[in-house]
Amino acid sequence: MEIHKFYMAIYQIDYVPQKKRIQITSRIFVDDLNAAIEKKYHVKSNLGTGQETALDEVNMKKYLAEKFFLKVNKVVRPMTFLSKEVEANVLICYFRIPDVSKISSLEIENSALTEWNSEQQNIIQATINGQKQSEVLTSENYKRVLK
């Protein structure tokens, strides 16, 4: 298993006006996510391994839904989980928020992994209405209004 000395995850958020939806891709170190899920739910988690179970995926979805969400036009909008894949030691998850006809405000709240590691940084890269923005969210500063 590869050891990494920095703690970060990357979240790409793209608004696609033609399809009236927000597309989200998260890239999280799989060992960090497994550790966070184990601490939160007190069960062994094997995401991204040959021993992964259906419960591991359920716990992952539940954990991410609690820790990472978007308020579109001041309303929390649930993300639909589409799929996931593992690349090296990174778990890549794909989500979507459908039926977004326009965005006048977008607030991001992301405290994933920060409750057990104060060094965790969640990097947000967003393209909303053609405007690119990047933000770094931390354990102390995990909310940001982008638009």
Side-chain angles (χ1 to χ4, degrees):
M1 174 137 62
E2 294 176 43
I3 303 295
H4 56 91
K5 290 182 175 56
F6 54 98
Y7 298 93
M8 62 172 241
I10 299 175
Y11 297 79
Q12 179 71 42
I13 300 168
D14 294 309
Y15 176 52
V16 184
Q18 307 86 327
K19 296 184 176 173
K20 291 185 166 57
R21 69 179 178 217
I22 298 172
Q23 298 175 167
I24 300 125
T25 304
S26 67
R27 295 173 178 272
I28 305 171
F29 284 114
V30 72
D31 53 337
D32 293 347
L33 187 55
N34 279 322
I37 289 168
E38 287 173 17
K39 282 190 171 65
K40 175 127 177 98
Y41 301 116
H42 311 289
V43 294
K44 179 96 179 97
S45 182
N46 293 299
L47 281 169
T49 71
Q51 290 84 46
E52 182 178 318
T53 66
L55 180 62
D56 291 333
E57 187 171 296
V58 166
N59 285 337
M60 175 203 72
K61 290 180 195 172
K62 189 165 65 169
Y63 178 82
L64 288 175
E66 267 180 47
K67 300 289 182 180
F68 171 53
F69 51 90
L70 302 181
K71 283 185 185 175
V72 180
N73 305 329
K74 302 195 181 343
V75 178
V76 173
R77 295 287 306 269
M79 289 183 241
T80 304
F81 173 79
L82 302 172
S83 65
K84 65 179 173 34
E85 59 184 315
V86 178
E87 211 173 79
N89 59 344
V90 174
L91 184 71
I92 304 168
C93 297
Y94 302 95
F95 303 91
R96 173 185 300 160
I97 300 175
D99 306 318
V100 179
S101 51
K102 74 181 185 76
I103 297 180
S104 50
S105 72
L106 182 68
E107 184 179 331
I108 296 168
E109 189 166 317
N110 189 340
S111 59
L113 309 183
T114 59
E115 75 278 3
W116 70 276
N117 185 345
S118 60
E119 292 177 41
Q120 175 70 29
Q121 294 186 324
N122 292 319
I123 296 169
I124 307 295
Q125 298 175 326
T127 304
I128 310 297
N129 301 329
Q131 220 178 346
K132 287 186 188 301
Q133 296 179 65
S134 293
E135 298 288 344
V136 177
L137 303 182
T138 62
S139 56
E140 296 87 36
N141 193 352
Y142 59 89
K143 290 183 186 181
R144 196 66 45 91
V145 177
L146 288 188
K147 187 169 172 35

